[in-house]
Amino acid sequence: GSGSQQQSTTAFPAADDNNSFWIVRAATGMQCSRGEPVPCGAVIRLQHANTKAYLHSHQHTSPLSHQQEVSCYNGVDSGDDWRVECTNSAGRYWTREEPIQLVHVDTKHYLSSNPNHKYGQPIPGQLEVAASKSSSKMTRWVAQASFACGN
C-alpha cells in the first residue's frame, strides 16, 4: 500500500530480479524511435514490463522513509516524467552498467532506494523506492541489461 493508494514500487538488491525490467519510453507527449540511444539529460518515462504501469511520483509521503512517494501509475501525466542525469561527465548517452540518476521533472526529487528502508510481510526483503530531495549514493542506478527507447 501507499499513501496515494497507487501501486507501491519496490526494489530488490539482487541484479537478477526478474520483476525489475522497465521499458524506456519517451516523455509525456513526446516520441522516440525504437532502438534510439537515450542521451544524457533526456526526459523519459519508465514502463514496468510486467504491469505496464509507469514509474510515477507526486507529493505524497512514502511509507517507510517519509520522503516523496514513488508509485506505479496506469494513467499518463507529467508525474511519469524523469530526467536522466549521467554521472560520467564524459558520457553523451545513458549506457549499460554506468551509474545514472533519475530526477523527477515535476518535483526535482531524485529516485532513491536505501537498504535501511526494507519492507517486512507480505514483501520481505523488498526495499522502498522513494524520491529524495538531494543526490547521494542512494540515488544512483545502474542498468544491467541492454536498453534503448521503445515505441
Side-chain angles (χ1 to χ4, degrees), residues 21-46:
F21 292 106
W22 296 84
I23 301 164
V24 178
R25 302 282 188 202
T28 306
M30 303 300 287
Q31 292 184 352
C32 63
S33 299
R34 182 181 296 275
E36 183 181 328
V38 179
C40 299
V43 176
I44 62 167
R45 292 178 298 149
L46 291 173

PDB file of all heavy atoms in Angstrom, residues 21-46:
ATOM      1  N   PHE A  21      12.345  -5.354 -14.714  1.00  0.00           N
ATOM      2  CA  PHE A  21      12.531  -4.923 -16.095  1.00  0.00           C
ATOM      3  C   PHE A  21      11.601  -3.754 -16.402  1.00  0.00           C
ATOM      4  O   PHE A  21      10.402  -3.814 -16.130  1.00  0.00           O
ATOM      5  CB  PHE A  21      12.270  -6.078 -17.070  1.00  0.00           C
ATOM      6  CG  PHE A  21      13.320  -7.150 -16.969  1.00  0.00           C
ATOM      7  CD1 PHE A  21      13.036  -8.352 -16.352  1.00  0.00           C
ATOM      8  CD2 PHE A  21      14.600  -6.948 -17.476  1.00  0.00           C
ATOM      9  CE1 PHE A  21      14.002  -9.335 -16.238  1.00  0.00           C
ATOM     10  CE2 PHE A  21      15.573  -7.924 -17.376  1.00  0.00           C
ATOM     11  CZ  PHE A  21      15.273  -9.132 -16.759  1.00  0.00           C
ATOM     12  N   TRP A  22      12.185  -2.712 -16.984  1.00  0.00           N
ATOM     13  CA  TRP A  22      11.454  -1.494 -17.326  1.00  0.00           C
ATOM     14  C   TRP A  22      11.707  -1.165 -18.790  1.00  0.00           C
ATOM     15  O   TRP A  22      12.813  -1.344 -19.296  1.00  0.00           O
ATOM     16  CB  TRP A  22      11.935  -0.327 -16.449  1.00  0.00           C
ATOM     17  CG  TRP A  22      11.638  -0.531 -15.002  1.00  0.00           C
ATOM     18  CD1 TRP A  22      12.389  -1.235 -14.096  1.00  0.00           C
ATOM     19  CD2 TRP A  22      10.501  -0.066 -14.289  1.00  0.00           C
ATOM     20  NE1 TRP A  22      11.779  -1.220 -12.860  1.00  0.00           N
ATOM     21  CE2 TRP A  22      10.625  -0.503 -12.952  1.00  0.00           C
ATOM     22  CE3 TRP A  22       9.392   0.697 -14.654  1.00  0.00           C
ATOM     23  CZ2 TRP A  22       9.681  -0.211 -11.989  1.00  0.00           C
ATOM     24  CZ3 TRP A  22       8.447   1.001 -13.687  1.00  0.00           C
ATOM     25  CH2 TRP A  22       8.600   0.550 -12.361  1.00  0.00           C
ATOM     26  N   ILE A  23      10.703  -0.654 -19.459  1.00  0.00           N
ATOM     27  CA  ILE A  23      10.809  -0.239 -20.851  1.00  0.00           C
ATOM     28  C   ILE A  23      10.967   1.276 -20.865  1.00  0.00           C
ATOM     29  O   ILE A  23      10.189   1.998 -20.241  1.00  0.00           O
ATOM     30  CB  ILE A  23       9.550  -0.656 -21.637  1.00  0.00           C
ATOM     31  CG1 ILE A  23       9.377  -2.176 -21.567  1.00  0.00           C
ATOM     32  CG2 ILE A  23       9.635  -0.163 -23.080  1.00  0.00           C
ATOM     33  CD1 ILE A  23       7.989  -2.644 -21.979  1.00  0.00           C
ATOM     34  N   VAL A  24      11.986   1.760 -21.563  1.00  0.00           N
ATOM     35  CA  VAL A  24      12.218   3.198 -21.688  1.00  0.00           C
ATOM     36  C   VAL A  24      11.258   3.738 -22.744  1.00  0.00           C
ATOM     37  O   VAL A  24      11.226   3.250 -23.870  1.00  0.00           O
ATOM     38  CB  VAL A  24      13.678   3.495 -22.080  1.00  0.00           C
ATOM     39  CG1 VAL A  24      13.892   4.999 -22.264  1.00  0.00           C
ATOM     40  CG2 VAL A  24      14.643   2.938 -21.030  1.00  0.00           C
ATOM     41  N   ARG A  25      10.478   4.733 -22.355  1.00  0.00           N
ATOM     42  CA  ARG A  25       9.524   5.380 -23.262  1.00  0.00           C
ATOM     43  C   ARG A  25       9.840   6.878 -23.334  1.00  0.00           C
ATOM     44  O   ARG A  25      10.469   7.433 -22.434  1.00  0.00           O
ATOM     45  CB  ARG A  25       8.090   5.220 -22.754  1.00  0.00           C
ATOM     46  CG  ARG A  25       7.643   3.791 -22.574  1.00  0.00           C
ATOM     47  CD  ARG A  25       7.282   3.173 -23.889  1.00  0.00           C
ATOM     48  NE  ARG A  25       6.680   1.850 -23.697  1.00  0.00           N
ATOM     49  CZ  ARG A  25       6.656   0.926 -24.628  1.00  0.00           C
ATOM     50  NH1 ARG A  25       7.186   1.147 -25.806  1.00  0.00           N
ATOM     51  NH2 ARG A  25       6.093  -0.240 -24.394  1.00  0.00           N
ATOM     52  N   ALA A  26       9.359   7.522 -24.364  1.00  0.00           N
ATOM     53  CA  ALA A  26       9.512   8.977 -24.492  1.00  0.00           C
ATOM     54  C   ALA A  26       8.712   9.674 -23.400  1.00  0.00           C
ATOM     55  O   ALA A  26       7.744   9.128 -22.863  1.00  0.00           O
ATOM     56  CB  ALA A  26       9.035   9.433 -25.869  1.00  0.00           C
ATOM     57  N   ALA A  27       9.109  10.894 -23.094  1.00  0.00           N
ATOM     58  CA  ALA A  27       8.390  11.707 -22.104  1.00  0.00           C
ATOM     59  C   ALA A  27       6.950  11.909 -22.557  1.00  0.00           C
ATOM     60  O   ALA A  27       6.619  11.770 -23.739  1.00  0.00           O
ATOM     61  CB  ALA A  27       9.079  13.058 -21.937  1.00  0.00           C
ATOM     62  N   THR A  28       6.088  12.264 -21.625  1.00  0.00           N
ATOM     63  CA  THR A  28       4.682  12.514 -21.907  1.00  0.00           C
ATOM     64  C   THR A  28       4.542  13.495 -23.076  1.00  0.00           C
ATOM     65  O   THR A  28       5.152  14.559 -23.066  1.00  0.00           O
ATOM     66  CB  THR A  28       3.986  13.083 -20.658  1.00  0.00           C
ATOM     67  OG1 THR A  28       4.213  12.195 -19.570  1.00  0.00           O
ATOM     68  CG2 THR A  28       2.496  13.255 -20.866  1.00  0.00           C
ATOM     69  N   GLY A  29       3.788  13.093 -24.097  1.00  0.00           N
ATOM     70  CA  GLY A  29       3.546  13.940 -25.249  1.00  0.00           C
ATOM     71  C   GLY A  29       4.673  13.966 -26.273  1.00  0.00           C
ATOM     72  O   GLY A  29       4.575  14.671 -27.272  1.00  0.00           O
ATOM     73  N   MET A  30       5.747  13.203 -26.047  1.00  0.00           N
ATOM     74  CA  MET A  30       6.887  13.183 -26.971  1.00  0.00           C
ATOM     75  C   MET A  30       6.965  11.822 -27.662  1.00  0.00           C
ATOM     76  O   MET A  30       6.235  10.899 -27.309  1.00  0.00           O
ATOM     77  CB  MET A  30       8.188  13.464 -26.208  1.00  0.00           C
ATOM     78  CG  MET A  30       8.191  14.780 -25.446  1.00  0.00           C
ATOM     79  SD  MET A  30       7.962  16.227 -26.491  1.00  0.00           S
ATOM     80  CE  MET A  30       9.534  16.309 -27.290  1.00  0.00           C
ATOM     81  N   GLN A  31       7.874  11.692 -28.622  1.00  0.00           N
ATOM     82  CA  GLN A  31       8.074  10.425 -29.318  1.00  0.00           C
ATOM     83  C   GLN A  31       9.560  10.113 -29.397  1.00  0.00           C
ATOM     84  O   GLN A  31      10.400  11.021 -29.364  1.00  0.00           O
ATOM     85  CB  GLN A  31       7.511  10.489 -30.733  1.00  0.00           C
ATOM     86  CG  GLN A  31       6.019  10.598 -30.779  1.00  0.00           C
ATOM     87  CD  GLN A  31       5.503  10.555 -32.220  1.00  0.00           C
ATOM     88  OE1 GLN A  31       6.252  10.593 -33.169  1.00  0.00           O
ATOM     89  NE2 GLN A  31       4.185  10.476 -32.360  1.00  0.00           N
ATOM     90  N   CYS A  32       9.873   8.828 -29.506  1.00  0.00           N
ATOM     91  CA  CYS A  32      11.236   8.390 -29.771  1.00  0.00           C
ATOM     92  C   CYS A  32      11.150   7.173 -30.673  1.00  0.00           C
ATOM     93  O   CYS A  32      10.097   6.538 -30.755  1.00  0.00           O
ATOM     94  CB  CYS A  32      12.000   8.079 -28.489  1.00  0.00           C
ATOM     95  SG  CYS A  32      11.326   6.723 -27.513  1.00  0.00           S
ATOM     96  N   SER A  33      12.225   6.870 -31.349  1.00  0.00           N
ATOM     97  CA  SER A  33      12.251   5.719 -32.253  1.00  0.00           C
ATOM     98  C   SER A  33      12.812   4.514 -31.533  1.00  0.00           C
ATOM     99  O   SER A  33      13.760   4.635 -30.743  1.00  0.00           O
ATOM    100  CB  SER A  33      13.126   6.029 -33.467  1.00  0.00           C
ATOM    101  OG  SER A  33      12.599   7.134 -34.161  1.00  0.00           O
ATOM    102  N   ARG A  34      12.251   3.346 -31.820  1.00  0.00           N
ATOM    103  CA  ARG A  34      12.723   2.102 -31.209  1.00  0.00           C
ATOM    104  C   ARG A  34      14.214   1.954 -31.477  1.00  0.00           C
ATOM    105  O   ARG A  34      14.675   2.130 -32.595  1.00  0.00           O
ATOM    106  CB  ARG A  34      11.970   0.909 -31.772  1.00  0.00           C
ATOM    107  CG  ARG A  34      12.388  -0.417 -31.146  1.00  0.00           C
ATOM    108  CD  ARG A  34      11.631  -1.585 -31.738  1.00  0.00           C
ATOM    109  NE  ARG A  34      10.216  -1.541 -31.471  1.00  0.00           N
ATOM    110  CZ  ARG A  34       9.641  -2.017 -30.349  1.00  0.00           C
ATOM    111  NH1 ARG A  34      10.375  -2.563 -29.431  1.00  0.00           N
ATOM    112  NH2 ARG A  34       8.344  -1.935 -30.198  1.00  0.00           N
ATOM    113  N   GLY A  35      14.977   1.652 -30.431  1.00  0.00           N
ATOM    114  CA  GLY A  35      16.413   1.435 -30.553  1.00  0.00           C
ATOM    115  C   GLY A  35      17.251   2.697 -30.467  1.00  0.00           C
ATOM    116  O   GLY A  35      18.471   2.632 -30.454  1.00  0.00           O
ATOM    117  N   GLU A  36      16.602   3.851 -30.394  1.00  0.00           N
ATOM    118  CA  GLU A  36      17.323   5.125 -30.310  1.00  0.00           C
ATOM    119  C   GLU A  36      18.041   5.221 -28.962  1.00  0.00           C
ATOM    120  O   GLU A  36      17.443   4.965 -27.919  1.00  0.00           O
ATOM    121  CB  GLU A  36      16.293   6.254 -30.444  1.00  0.00           C
ATOM    122  CG  GLU A  36      16.838   7.650 -30.447  1.00  0.00           C
ATOM    123  CD  GLU A  36      15.707   8.668 -30.571  1.00  0.00           C
ATOM    124  OE1 GLU A  36      14.686   8.379 -31.226  1.00  0.00           O
ATOM    125  OE2 GLU A  36      15.850   9.747 -29.983  1.00  0.00           O
ATOM    126  N   PRO A  37      19.351   5.583 -28.947  1.00  0.00           N
ATOM    127  CA  PRO A  37      20.040   5.724 -27.660  1.00  0.00           C
ATOM    128  C   PRO A  37      19.434   6.873 -26.845  1.00  0.00           C
ATOM    129  O   PRO A  37      18.865   7.815 -27.402  1.00  0.00           O
ATOM    130  CB  PRO A  37      21.491   6.019 -28.031  1.00  0.00           C
ATOM    131  CG  PRO A  37      21.498   6.364 -29.465  1.00  0.00           C
ATOM    132  CD  PRO A  37      20.221   5.876 -30.077  1.00  0.00           C
ATOM    133  N   VAL A  38      19.555   6.768 -25.529  1.00  0.00           N
ATOM    134  CA  VAL A  38      18.975   7.770 -24.623  1.00  0.00           C
ATOM    135  C   VAL A  38      20.068   8.761 -24.234  1.00  0.00           C
ATOM    136  O   VAL A  38      21.018   8.399 -23.529  1.00  0.00           O
ATOM    137  CB  VAL A  38      18.374   7.101 -23.371  1.00  0.00           C
ATOM    138  CG1 VAL A  38      17.790   8.144 -22.432  1.00  0.00           C
ATOM    139  CG2 VAL A  38      17.323   6.067 -23.765  1.00  0.00           C
ATOM    140  N   PRO A  39      19.974  10.016 -24.694  1.00  0.00           N
ATOM    141  CA  PRO A  39      21.002  10.998 -24.367  1.00  0.00           C
ATOM    142  C   PRO A  39      20.957  11.403 -22.887  1.00  0.00           C
ATOM    143  O   PRO A  39      19.890  11.419 -22.272  1.00  0.00           O
ATOM    144  CB  PRO A  39      20.670  12.211 -25.234  1.00  0.00           C
ATOM    145  CG  PRO A  39      19.533  11.831 -26.098  1.00  0.00           C
ATOM    146  CD  PRO A  39      18.943  10.563 -25.574  1.00  0.00           C
ATOM    147  N   CYS A  40      22.119  11.731 -22.348  1.00  0.00           N
ATOM    148  CA  CYS A  40      22.165  12.311 -21.005  1.00  0.00           C
ATOM    149  C   CYS A  40      21.342  13.594 -21.035  1.00  0.00           C
ATOM    150  O   CYS A  40      21.399  14.349 -22.000  1.00  0.00           O
ATOM    151  CB  CYS A  40      23.611  12.613 -20.608  1.00  0.00           C
ATOM    152  SG  CYS A  40      24.659  11.146 -20.564  1.00  0.00           S
ATOM    153  N   GLY A  41      20.534  13.813 -20.022  1.00  0.00           N
ATOM    154  CA  GLY A  41      19.665  14.996 -19.963  1.00  0.00           C
ATOM    155  C   GLY A  41      18.292  14.785 -20.560  1.00  0.00           C
ATOM    156  O   GLY A  41      17.428  15.641 -20.430  1.00  0.00           O
ATOM    157  N   ALA A  42      18.077  13.637 -21.222  1.00  0.00           N
ATOM    158  CA  ALA A  42      16.774  13.358 -21.833  1.00  0.00           C
ATOM    159  C   ALA A  42      15.706  13.171 -20.765  1.00  0.00           C
ATOM    160  O   ALA A  42      15.990  12.696 -19.661  1.00  0.00           O
ATOM    161  CB  ALA A  42      16.859  12.098 -22.700  1.00  0.00           C
ATOM    162  N   VAL A  43      14.487  13.528 -21.107  1.00  0.00           N
ATOM    163  CA  VAL A  43      13.339  13.264 -20.235  1.00  0.00           C
ATOM    164  C   VAL A  43      12.651  12.027 -20.787  1.00  0.00           C
ATOM    165  O   VAL A  43      12.356  11.945 -21.981  1.00  0.00           O
ATOM    166  CB  VAL A  43      12.383  14.472 -20.173  1.00  0.00           C
ATOM    167  CG1 VAL A  43      11.146  14.135 -19.337  1.00  0.00           C
ATOM    168  CG2 VAL A  43      13.110  15.682 -19.584  1.00  0.00           C
ATOM    169  N   ILE A  44      12.438  11.052 -19.907  1.00  0.00           N
ATOM    170  CA  ILE A  44      11.869   9.760 -20.299  1.00  0.00           C
ATOM    171  C   ILE A  44      10.746   9.371 -19.349  1.00  0.00           C
ATOM    172  O   ILE A  44      10.536  10.012 -18.320  1.00  0.00           O
ATOM    173  CB  ILE A  44      12.950   8.645 -20.266  1.00  0.00           C
ATOM    174  CG1 ILE A  44      13.486   8.479 -18.821  1.00  0.00           C
ATOM    175  CG2 ILE A  44      14.065   8.933 -21.260  1.00  0.00           C
ATOM    176  CD1 ILE A  44      14.300   7.223 -18.606  1.00  0.00           C
ATOM    177  N   ARG A  45      10.056   8.305 -19.697  1.00  0.00           N
ATOM    178  CA  ARG A  45       9.162   7.598 -18.788  1.00  0.00           C
ATOM    179  C   ARG A  45       9.659   6.163 -18.735  1.00  0.00           C
ATOM    180  O   ARG A  45      10.214   5.655 -19.711  1.00  0.00           O
ATOM    181  CB  ARG A  45       7.711   7.610 -19.297  1.00  0.00           C
ATOM    182  CG  ARG A  45       7.067   8.976 -19.268  1.00  0.00           C
ATOM    183  CD  ARG A  45       5.658   8.949 -19.836  1.00  0.00           C
ATOM    184  NE  ARG A  45       5.705   8.537 -21.236  1.00  0.00           N
ATOM    185  CZ  ARG A  45       4.732   7.868 -21.851  1.00  0.00           C
ATOM    186  NH1 ARG A  45       3.628   7.540 -21.214  1.00  0.00           N
ATOM    187  NH2 ARG A  45       4.845   7.538 -23.118  1.00  0.00           N
ATOM    188  N   LEU A  46       9.451   5.491 -17.615  1.00  0.00           N
ATOM    189  CA  LEU A  46       9.799   4.078 -17.478  1.00  0.00           C
ATOM    190  C   LEU A  46       8.521   3.293 -17.254  1.00  0.00           C
ATOM    191  O   LEU A  46       7.771   3.563 -16.314  1.00  0.00           O
ATOM    192  CB  LEU A  46      10.771   3.858 -16.315  1.00  0.00           C
ATOM    193  CG  LEU A  46      12.175   4.426 -16.536  1.00  0.00           C
ATOM    194  CD1 LEU A  46      12.996   4.307 -15.254  1.00  0.00           C
ATOM    195  CD2 LEU A  46      12.872   3.717 -17.681  1.00  0.00           C
TER     196      LEU A  46
END
